[in-house]
């Protein structure tokens, strides 16, 4: 079964004025859809290689699989990490784990914003639960797949590719990241993902 683009969990204009409808439409319907298409193409070509026994393209296809597969996963998480009227602070088990692993929510937020705003070029700020170490970590992931950490389950993904924010925020990436936490983040979703991952 090919991968499919998941529908947004809200209307295209639901996150206005903090995340504008035009960016959400392009980002979901063109960019995220492109990763789904690329992932399916990589899987089909790998299946064809296995069927024919011709492994000459496997190196390139493996890289495409990592790029598009990671892009699809992170965008799927990103959309559900936001809601209209978001913001605030986490609660329950996630809040306790953040305090245990980062010292305090404020210290966590400062590290997360610093990691995310300083991505060189295109990438993401990620909060992950590492199943192997039993620890929350903040990762600065380049493109979609580089500088990840084995054992990690992404819980929260903040997109800082220019396509994610440039129409509205232009070069003000830090304003986009600040707005994500002030007005968009859905801590209930992040907390539910933490519960599932743990
Ligand atoms: Mn994106």
């Amino acid at each position: 079964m090919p991968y499919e683009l998941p529908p947004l969990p809200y209307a295209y204009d639901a996150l206005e004025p903090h995340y504008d409808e035009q960016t959400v439409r392009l980002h979901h319907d063109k960019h995220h859809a492109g990763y789904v298409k690329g992932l399916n193409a990589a899987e089909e070509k790998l299946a064809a290689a296995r069927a024919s026994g011709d492994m000459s393209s496997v190196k390139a296809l493996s890289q495409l699989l990592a790029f598009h597969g990671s892009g699809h996963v992170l965008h799927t998480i990103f959309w559900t990490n936001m809601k209209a009227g978001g913001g605030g602070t986490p609660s329950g088990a996630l809040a306790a784990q953040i305090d245990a692993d980062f010292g305090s929510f404020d210290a966590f937020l400062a590290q997360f914003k610093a990691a995310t705003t300083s991505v060189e070029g295109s990438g993401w700020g990620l909060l992950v639960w590492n199943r192997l170490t039993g620890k929350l970590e903040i990762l600065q992931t380049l493109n979609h797949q580089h500088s990840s950490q084995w054992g990690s389950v992404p819980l929260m993904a903040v997109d800082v590719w220019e396509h994610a924010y440039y129409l509205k925020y232009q070069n003000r990436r830090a304003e986009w990241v600040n707005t994500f936490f002030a007005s968009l983040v859905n801590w209930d979703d992040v907390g539910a993902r933490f519960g599932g991952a743990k």
Side-chain angles (χ1 to χ4, degrees):
M1 283 292 287
Y3 294 97
E4 292 183 0
L5 178 66
L8 286 176
Y10 34 70
Y12 288 104
D13 63 353
L15 305 179
E16 290 272 11
H18 309 291
Y19 206 22
D20 58 296
E21 179 179 355
Q22 186 183 17
T23 300
V24 171
R25 277 188 187 279
L26 287 167
H27 197 177
H28 179 267
D29 293 3
K30 302 299 182 188
H31 291 277
H32 187 173
Y35 299 124
V36 174
K37 189 177 174 187
L39 173 58
N40 285 327
E43 293 278 21
E44 283 171 23
K45 287 173 184 168
L46 284 164
R50 291 190 296 273
S52 70
D54 176 1
M55 298 294 155
S56 59
S57 59
V58 165
K59 179 181 177 184
L61 290 174
S62 298
Q63 292 173 6
L64 288 173
L65 181 70
F67 177 78
H68 290 288
S70 299
H72 174 43
V73 166
L74 293 183
H75 281 93
T76 300
I77 294 168
F78 169 71
W79 298 120
T80 68
N81 282 163
M82 297 184 288
K83 66 175 182 179
T89 56
S91 60
L94 175 61
Q97 194 72 46
I98 285 175
D99 286 344
D101 288 337
F102 300 101
S104 68
F105 178 72
D106 288 345
F108 154 79
L109 198 58
Q111 182 183 334
F112 193 99
K113 286 182 175 180
T116 306
T117 55
S118 63
V119 168
E120 275 189 356
S122 299
W124 300 75
L126 301 181
L127 174 64
V128 304
W129 172 250
N130 192 310
R131 281 181 162 148
L132 301 181
T133 63
K135 198 172 181 301
L136 290 171
E137 295 281 10
I138 295 165
L139 298 179
Q140 185 192 61
T141 294
L142 307 180
N143 287 345
H144 307 301
Q145 75 281 32
H146 299 303
S147 299
S148 54
Q149 190 184 87
W150 304 121
S152 296
V153 181
L155 308 175
M156 180 172 66
V158 179
D159 193 340
V160 288
W161 284 56
E162 286 183 348
H163 70 229
Y165 64 87
Y166 216 83
L167 284 178
K168 181 177 177 67
Y169 294 94
Q170 288 90 47
N171 62 322
R172 302 185 305 280
R173 181 191 281 179
E175 189 179 326
W176 156 238
V177 174
N178 284 332
T179 301
F180 180 91
F181 284 104
S183 305
L184 293 169
V185 63
N186 181 352
W187 283 116
D188 291 338
D189 178 69
V190 182
R193 288 183 179 280
F194 174 62
K198 199 174 180 192

